[in-house]
């Protein structure tokens, strides 16, 4: 009965470093979403998987952002050469197909 | 593009007063969902509205979906300190991704 888990919960990176953020969805959830939430704003869609297939990556802000879900379960969001504007909370959500999205606690990324 | 506008951005009320937040889309939505995010927390699903003119209630919370499926509102009657947080609407247009409004941050004076 565990919910969506994300790790790490907090990440501090120096500008130019690469980071990898992990999401463990609810067991059995086919759909997995990544959102970015800047301070004081609503979450913004980044990308979406159905099983291992990345069906929508229209929200990824640049080619420095890459997401994968190779076995249709755990997903990793990778950001290369981090910039200060990448500082935000990265939220993962999972769901059954066309069902309620359940959000994880997020990873707060701070780029110095 | 697909956008959801939400107002007001902030609302401060005395405990016991009512609270309302409004969302509007320029295009017809498939459905609209409401989430609550406590300070330092993550969005928690409250409800989904699908039908034109739909009204749903959860205790002191009343959710409405407009006849044209372009606007929605959340009304809280007699606020309590436990209602503090940011309320987001999120729209869907057939695809699975959610497009969130900017949120309304509710603070309450006890």
């Amino acid at each position: 009965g565990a919910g969506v888990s994300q790790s790490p919960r907090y990440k501090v990176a120096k500008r130019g470093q690469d980071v990898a953020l992990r999401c463990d969805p609810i067991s059995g959830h086919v759909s997995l979403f990544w959102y970015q939430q800047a301070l004081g704003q609503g979450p913004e869609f980044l990308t979406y998987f159905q099983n291992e297939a990345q069906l929508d990556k229209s929200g990824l802000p640049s080619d420095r952002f890459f997401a994968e879900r190779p076995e249709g379960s755990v997903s990793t969001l990778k950001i290369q050469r981090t910039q200060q504007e990448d500082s935000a909370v990265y939220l993962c959500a999972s769901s059954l197909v066309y069902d309620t999205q359940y959000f994880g606690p997020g990873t707060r990324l701070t780029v110095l | 593009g697909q956008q959801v506008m939400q107002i007001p951005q902030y609302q401060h009320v005395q405990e016991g007063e009512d609270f309302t937040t409004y969302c509007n889309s320029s295009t017809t939505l498939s459905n609209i969902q409401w989430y609550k995010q406590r300070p330092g927390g993550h969005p928690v699903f409250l409800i989904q509205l699908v039908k034109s003119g739909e009204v749903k209630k959860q205790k002191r919370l009343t959710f409405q979906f407009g006849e044209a499926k372009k606007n929605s509102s959340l009304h809280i009657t007699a606020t309590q300190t436990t209602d503090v947080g940011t309320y987001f609407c999120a729209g869907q247009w057939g695809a699975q991704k959610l497009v969130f409004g900017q949120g309304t941050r509710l603070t309450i004076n006890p």
Side-chain angles (χ1 to χ4, degrees):
Chain A
V4 178
S5 61
Q6 293 186 244
S7 60
R9 292 292 314 278
Y10 303 91
K11 178 68 178 178
V12 178
K14 292 183 179 179
R15 189 170 51 188
Q17 282 186 332
D18 297 349
V19 297
L21 313 180
R22 176 188 170 105
C23 172
D24 283 85
I26 293 172
S27 178
H29 278 193
V30 170
S31 300
L32 185 145
F33 306 80
W34 284 98
Y35 293 85
Q36 180 191 58
Q37 187 173 23
L39 190 63
Q41 302 295 316
E44 291 194 4
F45 171 80
L46 294 177
T47 187
Y48 154 60
F49 292 85
Q50 189 162 311
N51 295 307
E52 68 276 6
Q54 189 174 20
L55 298 186
D56 187 345
K57 54 181 181 179
S58 62
L60 295 176
S62 77
D63 59 8
R64 296 186 296 104
F65 287 71
F66 172 78
E68 60 183 4
R69 194 186 185 198
E71 297 179 357
S73 179
V74 171
S75 177
T76 304
L77 176 67
K78 297 179 180 178
I79 309 173
Q80 296 177 324
R81 304 181 303 282
T82 52
Q83 304 294 314
Q84 283 189 325
E85 61 262 29
D86 300 335
S87 295
V89 175
Y90 290 85
L91 294 163
C92 175
S94 72
S95 75
L96 299 171
V97 179
Y98 284 105
D99 203 350
T100 303
Q101 294 184 27
Y102 295 91
F103 283 80
T107 295
R108 181 177 297 277
L109 173 64
T110 303
V111 181
L112 302 176
Chain B
Q2 294 168 340
Q3 289 186 52
V4 177
M5 303 303 293
Q6 186 173 358
I7 59 169
Q9 189 174 2
Y10 302 99
Q11 186 77 55
H12 180 76
V13 301
Q14 291 288 126
E15 187 175 13
E17 291 183 338
D18 292 356
F19 160 78
T20 305
T21 174
Y22 302 90
C23 280
N24 184 66
S25 166
S26 59
T27 56
T28 303
L29 294 155
S30 298
N31 68 76
I32 195 158
Q33 301 177 28
W34 286 91
Y35 287 78
K36 177 182 179 181
Q37 187 172 25
R38 295 183 183 274
H42 58 276
V44 175
F45 175 80
L46 294 176
I47 209 158
Q48 176 176 280
L49 303 171
V50 179
K51 298 177 183 177
S52 169
E54 190 168 15
V55 178
K56 287 188 176 180
K57 293 189 176 183
Q58 288 179 352
K59 298 182 179 178
R60 295 178 293 103
L61 279 61
T62 301
F63 303 85
Q64 295 190 13
F65 202 11
E67 293 291 339
K69 298 183 67 173
K70 290 183 178 181
N71 55 72
S72 181
S73 65
L74 158 59
H75 179 83
I76 302 178
T77 303
T79 54
Q80 300 175 0
T81 55
T82 53
D83 296 326
V84 163
T86 300
Y87 292 85
F88 291 100
C89 60
Q92 286 184 318
W93 286 263
Q96 289 211 54
K97 71 178 185 182
L98 293 169
V99 177
F100 283 81
Q102 300 93 321
T104 297
R105 182 180 172 190
L106 173 63
T107 55
I108 298 174
N109 203 22

